[in-house]
Amino acid sequence: MERSPASEPSSKAPQFRRLHPLTLLVRLLMSLPALLILLLPALRGQTIDQGTLITLMLYGLLAFPLILAHYLRFRYALTPRELLIESGVLTHRRRSIPIDRIQNIQIERTLLARLLGLARVRIETAGSAETEGEIAFVSLAEAQRLKEQVRAFRSGPVTEQPVQPARTLLFAMTPAQLLRSGAFHFSLVYLAGMFSGMEYLDLTPEDLIDWVVRGRLHWVQEAFEQAPLLATMATLLLAALLGWVAGIVVHVVRFYGFQLWQEGERFYRRSGLFTVAESALPRRRIQALVIRTNPLMQHFGWYALEAQLIGLDRETQGVQTLVPFGRLSEIQQIAAHVWPIALPASWQRVSPRMIRRATVRYLLIGAGVLLGLGWIWPEVRWLLLGLPTGAPLLAWLQYRRHGYAVEASYLFVRQGVFRHRIWCLPYQKMQVFSLSRSLFQRRLGLASLQVDMAGAPAIGGPQIRDLPEKEAEKLLQFVYEQFQTHCRMQSPAS
């Protein structure tokens, strides 16, 4: 028996399906945090004012009926030509997504969805900057059926028992490796959220510490009041400690159970502690490879492999992780499944005048930031004493870490002091070439070569800074000629 190809019209009426009934329970539970925020004054023993009471009444009258109406109005159907999604309570919307435009079916399972046996299905297309369609929630079996059915329709006429591409597991992170890798990460993002929550709850750091230690560290508080500089250093140390713990937690939540496997020309990865997300990374959409590490990770011989992609939704475009934590040999073995690359044996240095330019820049930026913070936190001004030493040292480290290498099929760029990155840039994937000269660079006879790749970040992308002007122009001409040559040859990296 053969199925109809995607290009042929189907005479059968689409068979619409509804979401799983437990979707009502999931949406009801997901709405509770907003209700708790409205009830927070009452939970803290405060009197609810008239405005809050009216808001609560509107919430009860509108929220729950809207959840039911959304469920009843949502339905979907999959045909050999398209995926149809009908939704909308006040405005009815019918969305048709052609099968041949679907690039990826992502199955996402939050902790609550996993407990109820449900999954969220995200549909991504090549021409959209965000998720084109979403079906939330269906059973896990139904999500897998949609994924396999779309894959079968995209493959055209198939036999009764289609041959599936071989599935090869490339990398799996063990729990011990996950904890070890988390120890190398640092994050202050969630600290900002924690302090915002404390501000909302009218809870000061002193109150929180007193609650934790039960008043046993009052002598420390008195010592800090007598020595402001000691208090400043202790605060910075505490912030660093909390940032380190937050980094471990964020890393574990994100990469728990990480797996990377390959099926044909696609890479698949799955990870997540509370929300398990599975996504596909088509090989042809990979624009560049990035080997990332930091001074501490590099000291112990650990690296990460990332790929820069285009064309998928907002969550999966840009730089995506292929291997969160591994030895350099392991990283290179997995990178070879994308492109046959070998790291260069030697690197070309940029001009030593980079140290002078970077020193001036760090002195100006550092003084401006510290003086600005000094208006709010006067103790920070003590750090100005370290600028005359710190700025030249940082500039020298930046010079030592920066370099490039020209190989047969790739341009390699190495950069970063605290975040070491090695960019592997195939010539035929390059988009725009440009030379830039700032006011200070013109005075020193320097220029920077920028190679734009599709999907590259606006800040922190590959750039060779502070080359001598003539060397920069020659390198630009060489890279552009390599780009034209490889585009004509259609090298294996395409």
Side-chain angles (χ1 to χ4, degrees), residues 357 433-442 445-451 463-469 472-473 476:
R357 191 179 76 87
F433 314 86
S434 60
L435 282 182
S436 62
R437 301 176 180 86
S438 66
L439 175 63
F440 294 106
Q441 283 181 314
R442 291 198 297 271
L446 302 176
S448 296
L449 172 61
Q450 177 79 41
V451 179
Q463 186 180 34
I464 305 175
R465 299 187 180 92
D466 296 332
L467 286 166
E469 287 185 345
E473 291 172 356
L476 172 63

Side-chain angles (χ1 to χ4, degrees), residues 165 262-267 281-284 494:
Q262 183 178 7
E263 292 184 22
E265 289 297 304
R266 287 172 175 255
F267 297 92
L281 310 176
R283 179 177 176 272
R284 63 188 176 87
S494 62

Side-chain angles (χ1 to χ4, degrees), residues 24-42:
L24 293 170
L25 177 60
V26 174
R27 294 192 179 280
L28 181 62
L29 294 175
M30 291 173 63
S31 69
L32 291 181
L35 181 62
L36 290 176
I37 291 177
L38 292 175
L39 291 174
L40 188 59

Side-chain angles (χ1 to χ4, degrees), residues 153-172:
F153 288 152
R154 281 174 51 85
S155 300
V158 295
T159 60
E160 184 70 23
Q161 294 181 344
V163 178
Q164 298 293 335
R167 175 172 175 167
T168 305
L169 181 64
L170 301 180
F171 180 80

Side-chain angles (χ1 to χ4, degrees), residues 206 210 213-225:
E206 290 81 4
D210 285 343
V213 302
R214 306 296 181 187
R216 290 191 290 269
L217 294 180
H218 276 303
W219 61 274
V220 176
Q221 183 176 355
E222 293 174 356
F224 286 166
E225 291 175 354

Side-chain angles (χ1 to χ4, degrees), residues 409-424:
S409 299
Y410 310 98
L411 171 67
F412 291 90
V413 179
R414 185 182 68 176
Q415 60 190 39
V417 176
F418 300 108
R419 296 182 62 193
H420 297 175
R421 282 167 294 176
I422 297 176
W423 292 82
C424 172

Side-chain angles (χ1 to χ4, degrees), residues 7 86 149 162 167 195 211 279 283 353 369 406 444 470:
S7 58
E86 294 184 355
Q149 197 72 58
R167 175 172 175 167
F195 283 111
W211 180 78
S279 58
R283 179 177 176 272
R353 283 168 284 180
V369 170
V406 177
L444 296 174
K470 291 184 178 179

